[in-house]
């Protein structure tokens, strides 16, 4: 009922109840266990006082009650009061019985037999006893049950709510952030709705607790004289404790939600930023591509002026995208300043945007500069050509018969001298100065045209010089008449016009022949010399490359076996020469045969040389596969005195690690040189072989690149070499949609894609997760953690997925397992589908 003894011991009353002995032991144990759990630990530790009211009953009832309590009471007992039967006979029997059976009750506490409630008041204050026991303690059993039931329900509500919050928090923490705007918005909306519902649940729970607290305190609220019993005070404390627990849980959840909500909002900001970045970059890349296509610098004044107008239009077209890019870069920097979690992703994109803007602006300025020079050049060429035309016309228009007299010759000389005065104004500058001035834009065609006009100027000047010599002789005093030796022109225009047909004057045919021959020779000379330049560059760099390889092998690798230097070699480097240098000696022996030098006389042999050594070039793949191990060893031992001593002896400006990169750079150099040679030999006899040689080198580079990724696979228990040839590798978004398994597996197909790196072999398709780790403070290196594999003999492919032309499906075991794969572009998707189709077709043909 909530009463307490004088020392605060909780009181449990067993009232008179005829059916007490009929209550099952399990029910009795449950009740007394529950009753002893209600008081605080402090009160329970004092010990419980039990009052057994059997005034209207028999001794047998007293005995049964004591026996049951002694055998099943779970708490700590302090005293047992028994209100004995009031009837004389039963009281007498009780007195005798208690003496005879006291030891049988197995109670270690006193059992006090009382004749009346007044005797009980001598031990327990009336205020702690109910009216049935002559006390004043207010107790309503139905209200007690109502309060206890409400407290238990509220405790369960608090527990359930806390579990719901914890489960939701765990789900939030384990949720992977989406990679696109739409999925991020959906996730943010879903989480926000769920959070709102949970907050409503919390409000209801708090309201429930507050209402319960009000109900328990109601007697005190109703009457200032009323006091709550100790049990009621403990009920208040219990509810307040549960409310405090609920409040603490809510605060912790709110803190977590604030961080999670911020991260989701930042993720949405990031996805919008990335989406805008891709759009802007695509636009700018297209502009840059169009700008790069403006390689023409014009072959005439009219053409250059047209190109300048086009460049102006492109510049105006690029203003809006450039402004958007600058604005987006500024937005990205604001995200960084606001402590966005994806700083490492945003900052490079801001740098990239500004770089593209600067590149476009600088390239535009460069185009204007080049076209301006081109305009100036063609204007000078036009002026010079017009001057030559006018000069030739002047010479042709001078009547030969009139020049035979002294007066006619002097008149013709004056005309020539007046015309030659304009030479400095209209002629080209000194040829050497001219070439220096326009060296950056002198294409073979422009150079040939300039040479033609320079030659023309020289020839016209020579014609004027010869005419002046002849006229000066005629202007001198004549001793005998001179007969005309040239035909008189049929007409003599009043002014020179460079656009009319050149008259058939002296040396006219000579000029035409010279100009044509000069142009043909210039073009032929340029192409042959450029091709020879590439061959010479290849041979010269090959010679330097072989010398560098030799110096590394003799100056470093061999010195590791030098007994005089053994003490300088770090212990970590002992017996690891093959790891540091890989198969560098094998590469040196291959290149030391000097076969490329035989191609200087016959360039067609160069492509055949590459094709002949196609298999041998695989040594580069072996070298590159070992390169990560070599670099790791160098980072560990590169600062040792041994390498410093070797470098000093070789007088190398660069350290060993720079030279160990030479083979990787060399295979790329072959690719670039072959591409240049291919440009110079389009549609020629050796073009096909050059294309095949270039394809061979590109295939080796791809094979090297693929193998570098392959050796980074971790966690695959089988032997990768048994999977067949590695055909393709690359990163994709992957969804799974399996018929079997937990529902969450299906949900993933509608939710968040997995980032997976796929390796396609002829026998197997591996799914890996790319991980990047810092290596001893150096740049990040990628590794690929194995996740799943599919045998190619049991897979099928669906080439098109509705809604996205970059997706395709690979399914397994009759579509029990379906993998939806999204490529970064349609082209990449088609390439993979083509390779997979080849594998499946090959398997089908093998089965047939």
């Amino acid at each position: 009922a909530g009463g307490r003894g004088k020392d605060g011991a909780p009181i449990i009353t067993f009232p008179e109840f005829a059916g007490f002995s009929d209550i099952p032991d399990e029910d009795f144990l449950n009740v007394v266990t529950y009753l002893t759990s209600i008081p605080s630990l402090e009160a329970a530790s004092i010990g419980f006082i039990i009052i057994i009211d059997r005034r209207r009953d028999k001794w047998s009832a007293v005995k049964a009650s004591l026996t049951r309590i002694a055998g099943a009471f779970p708490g700590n007992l302090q005293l047992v009061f028994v209100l004995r039967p009031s009837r004389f006979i039963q009281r007498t029997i009780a007195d005798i019985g208690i003496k005879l059976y006291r030891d049988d009750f197995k109670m270690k506490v006193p059992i006090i037999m009382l004749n009346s409630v007044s005797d009980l008041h001598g031990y327990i204050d009336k205020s702690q006893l109910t009216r049935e026991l002559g006390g004043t303690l207010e107790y309503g059993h139905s209200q007690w049950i109502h309060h206890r039931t409400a407290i238990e329900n509220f405790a369960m509500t608090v527990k359930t709510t806390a579990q719901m919050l914890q489960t939701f928090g765990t789900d939030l923490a384990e949720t992977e952030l989406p990679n696109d705007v739409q999925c991020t918005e959906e996730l943010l909306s879903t989480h926000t709705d769920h959070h709102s519902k949970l907050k409503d649940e919390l409000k209801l729970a708090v309201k429930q607790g507050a209402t319960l607290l009000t109900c328990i305190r109601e007697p005190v609220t109703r009457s200032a004289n009323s006091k709550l019993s100790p049990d009621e005070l403990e009920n208040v404390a219990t509810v307040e404790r549960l409310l405090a627990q609920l409040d603490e849980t809510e605060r912790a959840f709110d803190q977590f939600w604030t961080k999670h909500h911020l991260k989701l909002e930042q993720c949405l900001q990031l996805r919008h930023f990335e989406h805008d970045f891709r759009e802007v970059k695509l636009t700018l890349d297209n502009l840059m591509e169009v700008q790069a296509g403006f390689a023409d610098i014009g072959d005439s004044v009219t053409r250059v002026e047209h190109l300048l107008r086009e460049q102006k239009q492109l510049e105006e077209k690029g203003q809006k995208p450039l402004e958007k890019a600058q604005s987006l870069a500024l937005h990205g920097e604001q995200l960084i300043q606001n402590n966005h979690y994806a700083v490492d992703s945003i900052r490079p994109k801001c740098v990239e945007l500004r770089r593209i803007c600067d590149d476009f602006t600088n390239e535009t300025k460069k185009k204007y500069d080049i076209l301006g020079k081109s305009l100036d050049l063609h204007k000078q060429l036009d002026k010079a050509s017009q001057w030559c035309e006018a000069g030739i016309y002047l010479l042709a228009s001078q009547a030969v018969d009139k020049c035979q007299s002294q007066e006619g010759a002097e008149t013709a000389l004056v005309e020539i001298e007046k015309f030659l005065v304009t030479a400095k104004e209209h002629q080209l500058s000194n040829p050497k100065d001219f070439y220096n001035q326009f060296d950056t834009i002198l294409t073979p065609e422009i150079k040939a045209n300039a040479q033609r006009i320079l030659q023309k100027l020289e020839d016209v000047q020579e014609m004027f010089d010869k005419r002046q010599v002849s006229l000066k002789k005629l202007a001198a005093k004549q001793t005998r008449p001179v007969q005309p030796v040239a035909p008189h022109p049929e007409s003599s225009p009043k002014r020179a016009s460079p656009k009319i047909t050149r008259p058939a004057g002296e040396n006219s045919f000579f000029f035409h022949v010279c100009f044509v021959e000069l142009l043909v020779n210039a073009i032929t000379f340029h192409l042959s010399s450029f091709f020879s330049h590439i061959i010479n560059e290849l041979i010269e760099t090959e010679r330097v490359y072989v010398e560098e390889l030799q110096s590394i092998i003799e100056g470093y690798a061999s010195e590791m076996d030098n007994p005089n230097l053994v003490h300088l070699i770090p212990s970590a480097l002992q017996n690891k020469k093959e790891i540091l240098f890989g198969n560098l000696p094998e590469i040196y022996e291959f290149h030391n045969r000097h076969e490329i030098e035989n191609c200087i006389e016959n360039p067609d042999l160069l492509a055949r040389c590459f094709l002949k050594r196609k298999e041998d070039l695989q040594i580069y793949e072996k070298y590159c596969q070992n390169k990560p191990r070599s670099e790791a060893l160098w980072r560990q031992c590169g600062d040792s005195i041994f390498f410093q001593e070797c470098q000093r002896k070789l007088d190398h400006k660069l350290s060993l690690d720079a030279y160990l990169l030479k083979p990787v750079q060399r295979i790329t150099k072959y690719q670039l040189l072959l591409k240049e040679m291919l440009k110079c030999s389009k549609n020629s006899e050796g073009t096909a072989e050059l294309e095949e040689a270039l394809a061979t080198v590109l295939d080796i580079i791809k094979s090297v690149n693929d193998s570098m990724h392959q050796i980074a696979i971790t966690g695959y228990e089988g032997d990768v070499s048994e999977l067949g040839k590695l055909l393709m590798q690359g990163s994709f978004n992957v969804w799974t949609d399996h018929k079997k398994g937990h529902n969450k597996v299906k949900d993933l197909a509608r939710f968040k894609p997995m980032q997976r790196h796929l390796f396609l072999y002829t026998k197997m398709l591996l799914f890996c997760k790319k991980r990047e780790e810092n290596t001893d403070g150096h740049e990040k290196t990628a590794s690929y953690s194995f996740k799943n594999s599919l045998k190619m003999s049991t897979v099928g492919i669906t080439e098109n997925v509705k809604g996205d032309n970059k997706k395709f499906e690979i399914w397994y075991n009759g579509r029990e397992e379906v993998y939806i794969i999204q490529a970064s572009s349609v082209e990449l998707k088609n390439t993979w589908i083509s390779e997979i189709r080849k594998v499946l077709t090959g398997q089908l043909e093998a089965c047939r």
Side-chain angles (χ1 to χ4, degrees), residues 63 246 271 279 334 349 387 488 524 651 702 706 803:
K63 182 181 178 182
L246 201 59
R271 299 309 173 222
E279 287 189 345
Q334 290 173 347
K349 291 180 175 61
W387 186 86
H488 188 286
T524 305
D651 194 25
K702 178 183 180 299
D706 289 347

Side-chain angles (χ1 to χ4, degrees), residues 62-78:
V62 174
K63 182 181 178 182
S65 299
L66 289 173
T67 303
R68 174 169 276 186
I69 293 170
F73 192 79
N76 179 26
L77 276 173
Q78 186 187 93

Side-chain angles (χ1 to χ4, degrees), residues 120-312:
L120 179 63
H121 297 162
Y123 294 94
I124 301 174
D125 190 87
K126 288 183 179 182
S127 64
Q128 303 301 314
L129 297 172
T130 60
R131 292 180 180 179
E132 290 80 2
L133 297 176
T136 60
L137 180 65
E138 294 293 335
Y139 174 75
H141 193 58
S142 61
Q143 186 186 51
W144 185 91
I145 292 175
H146 175 72
H147 284 178
R148 291 308 309 175
T149 305
I151 290 171
E152 298 296 338
N153 287 337
F154 180 56
M156 185 58 66
T157 300
V158 171
K159 181 180 178 181
T160 303
T161 304
Q163 288 175 342
M164 288 169 58
L165 293 178
Q166 184 178 4
T167 302
F168 182 52
T170 303
D171 291 342
L172 296 185
E174 294 177 352
T175 300
E176 292 188 26
L177 297 178
N179 281 337
D180 59 86
V181 173
Q182 183 179 352
C183 289
T184 306
E185 288 176 340
E186 291 175 355
L187 182 64
L188 180 59
S189 176
T190 301
H191 284 187
T192 303
D193 290 344
H194 198 166
H195 169 261
S196 298
K197 290 178 182 178
L198 285 175
K199 289 291 287 185
D200 291 341
E201 293 285 342
L202 275 168
K203 289 178 181 178
L204 287 174
V206 171
K207 186 177 180 180
Q208 179 185 348
T211 302
L212 178 57
L213 201 58
T214 302
C215 290
I216 297 173
R217 289 172 173 169
E218 192 267 339
V220 179
T221 307
R222 187 176 64 247
S223 174
N225 297 325
S226 297
K227 291 184 179 179
L228 296 179
S229 69
D231 271 11
E232 289 174 329
L233 290 174
E234 288 191 353
N235 286 345
V236 170
T238 300
V239 175
E240 287 177 340
R241 185 179 69 252
L242 290 172
L243 284 171
Q245 181 182 339
L246 201 59
D247 182 61
E248 183 181 349
T249 303
E250 184 177 13
R251 282 202 307 272
F253 175 71
D254 285 344
Q255 290 176 359
F256 175 79
W257 169 252
T258 299
K259 293 179 181 178
H260 180 74
H261 189 257
L262 175 62
K263 191 163 187 177
L264 281 180
E265 287 184 330
Q266 288 186 341
C267 178
L268 184 59
Q269 292 172 346
L270 176 64
R271 299 309 173 222
H272 278 297
F273 177 79
E274 290 174 338
H275 178 267
D276 294 343
F277 171 79
R278 286 191 292 269
E279 287 189 345
V280 171
K281 188 174 185 303
L282 179 62
T283 304
L284 292 177
D285 285 345
N286 290 336
L287 284 173
M288 292 292 289
E289 187 176 345
V290 173
Q291 191 178 61
F294 281 1
D296 188 6
I297 61 173
D299 54 4
S300 66
V301 172
T302 305
R303 176 61 180 164
V304 174
E305 288 174 343
H306 174 71
L307 290 173
L308 281 168
R309 286 193 296 272
E310 286 187 339
Q311 183 62 43
K312 183 66 176 176

